[in-house]
Amino acid sequence: MDDATPSYVLAFDTANEVIAIGLGRLDAAARSIELVASVEVEARRASNTQLVPRIDELCARAGVAREKIACVCVGRGPGSFTGVRIALATAKGIASALEVGLVGVSSLDAVAWGAWKAAERGELLVVADAMRREVYPVEYRLDDSGAARLTADRVIKAEAFAEELGATGSSDRSMADDGDAGDSRHGGNAGDPSRRGRPWSALPTEADVHPDRLITGDGLRKYAEFFESAGALLPEALWTPTGAGLLLALQAAWQAGECDPFDAAWHDPAFALPVYTRLSDAEENERVRLARIDDGLAGKRGSRHVTMNDTAIANARANGEGIAYKPLDARHVADVAALEAAVMGTDAWNEVLVADELGRADRVWWAAYAADPKMPLSAEAPLVGYAGGWVVDGDLQILKVGVDPAWRRHGIARVLLARVADDARNLGARTSSLEVRAGNAGAQALYAALGYEMLGRRPRYYSDGEDALIMQGPLPTIALAAVPNGAVADAQPGHASYPGATEVAPYGESDAVEETAIADESRRGSACAALGCESDGVTVRRPLILAIESSCDETAAAIIDGGEVLRSDVVATQVDFHARFGGVVPEIASRKHIEAICGVCDEALDVAAASLGRSRLRWRDLDAAAVTYAPGLVGALVVGVAFAKGAAWGADIPFIVVNHLEGHLYANKIGLEDFAPPAVVSLVSGGNTLLVHMADWGDYRVLGATIDDAVGEAFDKVAKALGLGYPGGPVVSKFAAEGDPDAIPFPRAMLHSGDLRFSLSGLKTAVVTYINNERAAGRELNVPDICASFTAAVVDVQVAKARTALRETGAPTFCLGGGVAANPTLRAAYEQMCAEEGVRLVMPPLASCGDNAGMIAEVALDRYRAGAFSPLSTDALAHGDLEVPY
């Protein structure tokens, strides 16, 4: 291998309080890795600020240029959810920018290999801290040949695991919790329910406590007293992953044929995911509720005692084909049993067997219903499909898949399997297994298309004597679609649409950017080599910036050029994953950002390339990477910030951070090319309600803000109370258009307060109280009138305060920002008010009102021109003061 060939691997882990980084030299012939340099440092919840600078420092000290890195290796956990995501997002960014593969290894395996490198031999137990007085325990056997894993990832209470060790001398690896397990079904597949509980292969068991057992892991920092009698505790230096341990874990996987550090196509960064071992709190609580039969949870909107939370849990939205997916609940067990009898024949499970599955921590069941896409899921919606699985020893065993024959050919089985697999992955599953009838060619074709391969055959497994084929494969995945946001396509002249756009109308000083083809050959090489120029390629105005938005539940990316042309603006929404909870679940949002961010950025690059007439656009062709860093859900922000920092480091380009609220102000530039301050802005969204005076770009004064709920939050809560589903804004607006805004005199809170502050909590309470009183009186709710009257109360206050702000500041322009700025009633009211006041009204395109990356790119361009670059130690912030420069 010559000196010009990338031949190093960069490995790192932040699954706990320690940052571990290793650099290794790859030997392709021997499939071995030589340790070049490593470092371990206490992070103390500051991994996101220290990781990339430490990587840069280690590479510089070892004399390894980023161009020499052929592979990135990352610890996937289990560990701190946030810590694992910081490592994964950073690794995805670096690998994407370097265009190399990303290989994930177990953080616990890295600990075990670290102990092996320290010459420890024998039975090893790694007990990692899982918070909540829980641990992640995994057993290994260390001998001269290496570290062999004996058990799969799981999570358990520390004290319970200690008792387990004391009772059996080792964790009981028997998979049968009660002598009952299951078998897989698709269409006419069936099996003997009496065999439920038996895995395909029994794991070895161990005898009593081993006095020479070695115990390590950062769980000992909290729970050492639980395990002192179960074995010998290793030194604290061996409790956490090390750079050397990560490289040894990678080397072992390489030699086992499980990976190839030189194969970037095999190890696409988009497919690397964390190891969690449990669902989010919201999902766990949901499973408990759905395992009970409860009229409230059935979504009976005529009930006099239905709470906002009840109706939200019961709701789910149907897709364009009229199919809604949600976890199976106890109320539909009889429907599953009936469909079982119709499609499974004599091997069908009965109601008792199906009901027994619900609520179990290691079971996952999903259902599909026929429903109206325009309305929340009705309690009476017919069941058209179901699927269930059992997570055992890191494997998802598919127990059942059944689809109503009348609804086949709609991809229902695929979606159900993907939903089950998504939950199973979060429960620690790595693979999936199933049994299928030897004669069921259709089911076999489906499974083969999903990557399953045949492992063997069970003779006469089904009740009619037919053989079962055993198949195993990867977990089916759910990919969040990265689609055009619409802002570019709907742009006014001056913001060209894509693909192949050529019209350019610069803002600001015309000499601020040089109108040339892509240059700077000292860094990128020739223009054509860098961008894959075609003869009809579009002239590019520098800089070219990719911006990322991940502050809530939208993963978005956009690319802007120096002429202020948005070359791409794409978004992947998570709304389907949050709708059944009636609002955004922060932990789910963070998980979905990790899954979507590579695909969204890749799509942004591809769309921008088409816009520029190039065959390809790469990270190294960009001039900067930008990202929303505040305010927002900090766990969601962390993913975007870590990814962008990793990509900026990998591509060796500047890193820019953007205040999300400032992005909403800049969204008005997307709608009108000559828009400029001074102006008063009404910023209304799910998390913010502000009136802002823009004296100039970057010079903002908050005139008034909500003292409690934001406008968007109030819309969502009213929609919950009415059982209209999530998100609330669009559905409330739909009904409001059909109702009488004067029907119900809801209060106009703080309308005459004498200041520019807002309060929505009282209005929300008044609406909910009205709804409950109507139900208690046995009267049918007039949903259109309630929605219209509520909307009118919100709009009246918003408009009155905006009018006062315009008069006090003398601003000649009024504009909007935020998701609620798309509300048609609010937009119409502002139009009338601005006409009466004689001020100019500027409103962003509807697609630019909600969270999007186009607005972040607009801010980033100005910050690039000002040289406002940020260090790679920058972290995400839950709060960000719009008035404070950054």
Side-chain angles (χ1 to χ4, degrees):
M1 186 175 295
D2 61 64
D3 292 340
T5 303
S7 57
Y8 290 85
V9 56
L10 169 66
F12 50 88
D13 183 284
T14 61
N16 51 43
E17 292 297 315
V18 172
I19 294 174
I21 310 173
L23 271 172
R25 184 179 291 107
L26 298 165
D27 184 335
R31 292 191 179 184
S32 64
I33 303 173
E34 175 192 354
L35 177 65
V36 174
S38 66
V39 64
E40 291 79 41
V41 59
E42 288 282 346
R44 307 228 177 253
R45 297 186 180 274
S47 297
N48 206 22
T49 63
Q50 294 192 44
L51 178 57
V52 179
R54 295 279 185 179
I55 289 172
D56 189 59
E57 178 184 323
L58 185 66
C59 288
R61 190 170 75 240
V64 176
R66 53 179 59 81
E67 294 80 9
K68 294 291 291 179
I69 296 173
C71 174
V72 177
C73 173
V74 65
R76 300 172 52 232
S80 158
F81 290 169
T82 299
V84 171
R85 284 192 287 264
I86 288 170
L88 257 293
T90 303
K92 284 171 178 269
I94 293 175
S96 295
L98 293 178
E99 298 175 10
V100 300
L102 173 59
V103 181
V105 298
S106 165
S107 299
L108 305 188
D109 288 359
V111 174
W113 278 103
W116 180 88
K117 183 174 176 59
E120 301 291 348
R121 297 293 184 270
E123 299 300 317
L124 176 71
L125 174 62
V126 178
V127 184
D129 183 18
M131 309 300 286
R132 305 179 182 176
R133 299 188 64 80
E134 294 177 329
V135 292
Y136 302 115
V138 175
E139 296 175 55
Y140 298 85
R141 180 176 293 109
L142 308 185
D143 56 29
D144 290 342
S145 65
R149 175 187 276 251
L150 301 178
T151 58
D153 294 314
R154 62 168 172 153
V155 63
I156 184 174
K157 291 293 182 184
E159 192 167 7
F161 182 61
E163 293 175 357
E164 191 175 293
L165 286 176
T168 66
S170 180
S171 58
D172 182 0
R173 292 187 300 257
S174 173
M175 294 303 115
D177 51 3
D178 61 357
D180 257 346
D183 46 346
S184 66
R185 307 290 173 264
H186 185 281
N189 298 355
D192 183 358
S194 67
R195 283 180 257 191
R196 298 172 66 233
R198 300 177 187 174
W200 280 281
S201 61
L203 291 174
T205 60
E206 296 188 345
D208 297 325
V209 173
H210 293 289
D212 58 347
R213 178 193 285 117
L214 307 173
I215 304 178
T216 188
D218 67 335
L220 296 179
R221 289 177 176 168
K222 296 179 180 178
Y223 313 116
E225 70 276 11
F226 289 165
F227 303 106
E228 287 174 342
S229 63
L233 307 189
L234 294 184
E236 189 170 352
L238 301 178
W239 289 1
T240 56
T242 62
L246 289 164
L247 295 176
L248 286 168
L250 174 64
Q251 177 180 274
W254 191 8
Q255 293 177 351
E258 298 170 358
C259 71
D260 182 349
F262 291 104
D263 193 335
W266 181 1
H267 302 294
D268 187 330
F271 300 125
L273 296 174
V275 175
Y276 290 120
T277 75
R278 63 183 170 212
L279 303 175
S280 67
D281 287 348
E283 290 167 311
E284 288 181 346
N285 293 334
E286 176 193 47
R287 284 165 54 136
V288 172
R289 288 191 293 263
L290 294 183
R292 303 192 304 262
I293 295 179
D294 185 330
D295 284 341
L297 299 184
K300 293 190 174 181
R301 292 161 181 77
S303 168
R304 303 180 186 183
H305 304 288
V306 178
T307 68
M308 287 190 294
N309 201 42
D310 288 339
T311 56
I313 293 166
N315 289 331
R317 292 283 180 177
N319 60 20
E321 292 190 320
I323 304 167
Y325 298 91
K326 59 176 288 188
L328 179 64
D329 61 83
R331 181 165 294 278
H332 290 91
V333 164
D335 296 331
V336 171
L339 187 51
E340 270 275 288
V343 299
M344 304 296 183
T346 58
D347 293 304
W349 286 8
N350 59 31
E351 289 186 43
V352 174
L353 288 173
V354 176
D356 186 55
E357 292 287 306
L358 300 186
R360 292 184 178 231
D362 57 356
R363 306 296 206 273
V364 180
W365 285 80
W366 276 77
Y369 303 88
D372 181 352
K374 299 178 181 179
M375 294 297 295
L377 182 64
S378 166
E380 291 73 38
L383 179 93
V384 296
Y386 57 91
W390 176 34
V391 179
V392 50
D393 192 34
D395 185 72
L396 167 64
Q397 298 184 2
I398 302 298
L399 303 175
K400 291 284 181 178
V401 183
V403 177
D404 187 327
W407 282 87
R408 291 178 183 171
R409 306 297 180 185
H410 285 77
I412 293 175
R414 284 176 177 266
V415 176
L416 287 170
L417 283 168
R419 294 277 186 168
V420 169
D422 193 50
D423 284 351
R425 183 181 293 106
N426 291 336
L427 291 172
R430 304 182 308 277
T431 59
S432 177
S433 301
L434 56 89
E435 289 160 331
V436 59
R437 280 182 175 269
N440 193 337
Q444 293 169 36
L446 168 64
Y447 296 136
L450 294 174
Y452 288 81
E453 297 178 349
M454 198 171 67
L455 295 181
R457 178 185 293 261
R458 288 188 184 276
R460 303 183 60 80
Y461 181 73
Y462 295 101
S463 61
D464 60 0
E466 186 172 358
D467 292 353
L469 303 182
I470 303 171
M471 303 182 75
Q472 187 175 57
L475 292 170
T477 58
I478 300 174
L480 297 181
V483 300
N485 182 48
V488 177
D490 295 339
Q492 302 295 322
H495 279 264
S497 58
Y498 57 83
T502 58
E503 185 175 1
V504 175
Y507 298 103
E509 298 298 324
S510 60
D511 58 353
V513 284
E514 181 182 359
E515 196 170 275
T516 66
I518 294 192
D520 190 6
E521 297 188 8
S522 63
R523 180 158 64 89
R524 296 182 179 80
S526 68
C528 287
L531 277 183
C533 294
E534 280 85 28
S535 59
D536 60 346
V538 178
T539 297
V540 177
R541 303 187 68 177
R542 285 292 185 184
L544 202 59
I545 301 170
L546 186 147
I548 296 168
E549 157 62 26
S550 69
S551 64
C552 192
D553 62 338
E554 313 281 18
T555 314
I559 293 178
I560 195 169
D561 70 14
E564 302 204 20
V565 179
L566 279 176
R567 295 296 178 178
S568 62
D569 189 5
V570 300
V571 62
T573 182
Q574 308 172 6
V575 66
D576 286 348
F577 293 91
H578 300 281
R580 70 183 198 263
F581 301 102
V584 176
V585 178
E587 173 60 21
I588 294 176
S590 300
R591 296 185 182 197
K592 293 304 172 185
H593 284 306
I594 274 286
E595 296 174 15
I597 196 161
C598 281
V600 168
C601 290
D602 288 346
E603 181 69 10
L605 288 165
D606 289 346
V607 172
S611 170
L612 295 168
R614 268 68 176 181
S615 61
R616 187 181 183 192
L617 189 64
R618 307 160 79 177
W619 280 96
R620 67 188 65 176
D621 301 323
L622 303 174
D623 294 289
V627 67
T628 300
Y629 85 109
L633 300 176
V634 70
L637 288 166
V638 158
V639 174
V641 170
F643 180 91
K645 288 195 299 185
W649 183 83
D652 195 16
I653 56 178
F655 173 64
I656 299 171
V657 298
V658 173
N659 184 304
H660 177 78
L661 300 180
E662 187 174 22
H664 279 302
L665 304 184
Y666 269 72
N668 290 277
K669 295 184 73 173
I670 299 174
L672 195 64
E673 62 175 296
D674 64 347
F675 167 69
V680 168
V681 186
S682 173
L683 204 164
V684 282
S685 66
N688 299 279
T689 298
L690 304 171
L691 273 174
V692 180
H693 180 233
M694 299 173 59
D696 200 351
W697 295 118
D699 184 0
Y700 314 121
R701 180 165 62 94
V702 176
L703 304 174
T706 180
I707 63 174
D708 40 56
D709 291 352
V711 170
E713 184 181 3
F715 271 91
D716 287 340
K717 289 180 176 177
V718 168
K720 272 190 181 183
L722 291 169
L724 299 179
Y726 173 86
V731 68
V732 169
S733 295
K734 172 182 175 293
F735 280 103
E738 304 169 2
D740 179 2
D742 299 317
I744 308 164
F746 290 132
R748 271 65 172 165
M750 300 189 74
L751 180 62
H752 304 293
S753 63
D755 56 34
L756 297 178
R757 295 179 301 161
F758 302 89
S759 174
L760 281 301
S761 179
L763 171 60
K764 176 260 298 180
T765 300
V767 176
V768 173
T769 299
Y770 175 86
I771 292 170
N772 289 339
N773 289 340
E774 290 297 289
R775 284 177 171 149
R779 291 188 288 267
E780 183 177 352
L781 296 178
N782 187 323
V783 175
D785 281 358
I786 295 172
C787 291
S789 299
F790 161 71
T791 302
V794 171
V795 169
D796 286 352
V797 176
Q798 292 294 316
V799 171
K801 301 273 185 174
R803 190 189 303 269
T804 300
L806 286 167
R807 291 176 178 177
E808 289 182 356
T809 62
T813 303
F814 181 77
C815 53
L816 309 180
V820 183
N823 183 281
T825 303
L826 186 63
R827 290 170 80 96
Y830 279 139
E831 286 181 2
Q832 180 178 339
M833 182 270 291
C834 288
E836 293 169 355
E837 295 296 315
V839 299
R840 182 187 187 192
L841 173 63
V842 175
M843 294 187 289
L846 293 178
S848 299
C849 292
D851 294 346
N852 66 92
M855 66 186 191
I856 305 303
E858 294 277 2
V859 181
L861 181 57
D862 274 2
R863 292 182 65 77
Y864 181 95
R865 290 167 173 165
F869 305 139
S870 296
L872 296 179
S873 58
T874 304
D875 203 357
L877 300 174
H879 305 287
D881 192 335
L882 190 57
E883 296 182 335
V884 177
Y886 60 100

